Amino acid sequence: MGMDIYKITAEALDATGIGVLVCGKDGDILYVSQRALLLAAGGNGGSGSVRVPTRIGEFPGDLEALVKRLAGGEEVGEITVAMPGEPSFPCVVTSLGVDAGEGGRAAVFFIRPAASAARVDEKWHEIIDSLDEGYYEVDLRGIMTFINLEMARIAGYERGEVLGKKYDMFFTAEEGSRIFAAFNDAYRTGVSNKLVDWEFRDGRGRTKRLESSISLVRDAEGKITGFRGIVRDHTVRRRIEKELMRARKLEAIGILAGGIAHDFNNALTAILGNISLAKMEAPGDNGGLMEVLNDAEEASLKAVELTKRLATFAKGGRPERKIIDYTDSLRMTVDSALQGYNGRYELIIRDRLREVDLDEGQMGQVITYMIANANESMENGGIIRIIAENVIVEEEKTRDEISLQPGEYVRISISDEGKGMTPGEMQNIFDPYYTTKEMASGMGLTTSYAIIKRHHGYIDVESTPGKGTTFHVYLPVAGKDYTEADKIIPTE
């Protein structure tokens, strides 16, 4: 009978939702497609079950009488039969009698859900698409067979771009073995599994942190055919939790810093006043005493600068901004920070910088610390390169709770040729007290982060172990109207 032709045709029809069943005039089933078995099980993989039948009488729908009529040469056409299920699942059966050779006849049945069943299937998809959580189905080869709209949003693709693709398009190589092991464990034990806090790469190249369940999909015979599950995006929640922790630390530091700065400043005022009086009373021919007093005065003035840094975290540390061309101020800050530097440095200012609205003193702290950090990272010396330029940002970029919005900026990049940082180190460098250096407070980058945030700017870092680090500071050009959306990233 050319059963290979039946098989090829049936597989093609399965893809359209139509099941195929072929039997001889004696009632022996010659072929039954996977889709036909699913429909016989109570719908599209419903709760009913049916073993692979060998006789037409074992197949739901009372098709045995149709076989006899078809074997006698009668044309039957379409009828509606009830398949098992709660409630019963109506299907339309189109029958066809064909010559089977040597005077024999065979019956071919094409089975599809009735219109009402199609509406049930459509309603099911509507329900799945209305979920606030992602839903996926994948076969044993790792091919995505279905995702809902929320899963498409999480993935950063249109639904059609995902279906038919392998699921490993979403995760990094580092996560591969862990994810495979979780699916394999569910397959081996038959028990649902869960993936907690795994790294996901979406269609826009963004990294997300997800949690997903893994459940088995079985066919009418109970054979495992794939997996399905719910996916939750915890990226925003983790970001908020991290920012709340950072905010609490900064608040505590601010309260402490405000009190210390006030008391310390009072003490320094008295010290500087007494040094000035001592210099006035010191004999003019006592050069040694005058030198000591000058050193004490210089040290006290440096301590005054320290109180300004402490005040950055207090309420009085809000930036006192003014619109300026930052070119000359940047040159002076760089020259001061690198005075006495034994290595080589380059300051490159491209074109004419746009005017920016900033607090020169606070921004000077940021640049000075970045340069000091670059210097300390190069134990054997190297080149420190500072580049200032006008840039236009076309796509949003985020780091924790601050966002780089599309627009015009002055970008200051500070690069070194030091030992660099690992990805894990870069994730934490702006946290209070976090440091990779000995005898360091871990507050320099945290201070810089706070200052940049208050200027509605953005700070980012690029680093490769053994190849150095580059910090990028983005300052919005003057004249931009700021809203809360500029300071806080969207919840997407």
Side-chain angles (χ1 to χ4, degrees), residues 218-285:
R218 299 178 183 272
D219 63 15
E221 296 181 270
K223 181 181 178 182
I224 299 172
T225 59
F227 306 90
R228 63 163 65 99
I230 297 294
V231 176
R232 299 180 181 90
D233 186 352
H234 291 328
T235 308
V236 173
R237 190 195 72 182
R238 284 169 54 87
R239 185 184 300 146
I240 292 172
E241 288 174 349
K242 185 175 182 180
E243 177 51 29
L244 285 173
M245 185 178 296
R246 178 185 284 115
R248 291 191 185 105
K249 289 180 180 179
L250 290 177
E251 182 181 5
I253 294 169
I255 294 171
L256 177 64
I260 292 175
H262 180 268
D263 294 341
F264 197 33
N265 197 57
N266 289 340
L268 286 171
T269 300
I271 292 171
L272 285 168
N274 285 308
I275 290 174
S276 295
L277 289 174
K279 288 173 70 176
M280 292 172 61
E281 297 293 334
D285 58 350

Side-chain angles (χ1 to χ4, degrees), residues 104-149:
R105 295 275 290 175
V108 180
F109 298 102
F110 302 97
I111 308 168
R112 71 179 189 277
S116 59
R119 286 195 295 270
V120 170
D121 192 51
E122 182 179 343
K123 187 67 175 178
W124 168 249
H125 283 106
E126 287 179 3
I127 293 171
I128 292 295
D129 277 339
S130 69
L131 294 177
D132 291 333
E133 297 173 323
Y135 174 84
Y136 72 92
E137 292 182 5
V138 60
D139 67 17
L140 293 178
R141 298 170 298 165
I143 303 299
M144 303 296 296
T145 57
F146 179 79
I147 62 170
N148 69 347
L149 291 177

Side-chain angles (χ1 to χ4, degrees), residues 341-359:
Y341 177 57
N342 295 325
R344 188 160 67 89
Y345 74 90
E346 299 176 355
L347 172 59
I348 302 169
I349 299 178
R350 304 191 194 280
D351 303 322
R352 180 179 176 83
L353 297 183
R354 298 287 302 276
E355 289 188 332
V356 289
D357 188 9
L358 53 73
D359 183 318

Side-chain angles (χ1 to χ4, degrees), residues 61-80:
D62 193 22
L63 302 182
E64 192 169 13
L66 294 181
V67 173
K68 294 178 180 178
R69 292 165 60 186
L70 291 167
E74 183 180 347
E75 297 296 333
V76 179
E78 284 189 354
I79 63 169
T80 299

Side-chain angles (χ1 to χ4, degrees), residues 338 341-346 378 381-385 415 417:
L338 289 169
Y341 177 57
N342 295 325
R344 188 160 67 89
Y345 74 90
E346 299 176 355
M378 297 187 295
I383 300 174
I384 296 176
R385 184 174 289 105
S415 304
E417 297 177 332

